[in-house]
Amino acid sequence: MPDKNTAPERAASHDAEVARLTARADLVIEELDAVVTELSTMLKSAYGIKDD
């Protein structure tokens, strides 16, 4: 009888795909962070808000 707490077998290609997608998601998050920071700066400048 197999142990119920063991993970199912996965192909190495599956792990590689998960790693590739994770790396891509990290890049997207970094780009979004830069865009949001730039947009925030632009809006603050437009409305005369100063960072303290």
Side-chain angles (χ1 to χ4, degrees):
M1 182 189 251
D3 185 11
K4 292 180 182 179
N5 293 325
T6 59
E9 294 295 321
R10 291 188 309 242
S13 63
H14 176 78
D15 289 341
E17 182 69 4
V18 169
R20 185 187 71 78
L21 292 172
T22 301
R24 185 167 179 171
D26 288 343
L27 288 174
V28 168
I29 294 298
E30 287 176 17
E31 289 178 20
L32 281 173
D33 183 50
V35 168
V36 168
T37 300
E38 186 176 340
L39 182 58
S40 175
T41 301
M42 291 169 52
L43 287 170
K44 286 177 182 179
S45 177
Y47 287 98
I49 300 172
K50 296 180 181 176
D51 285 335
D52 289 334

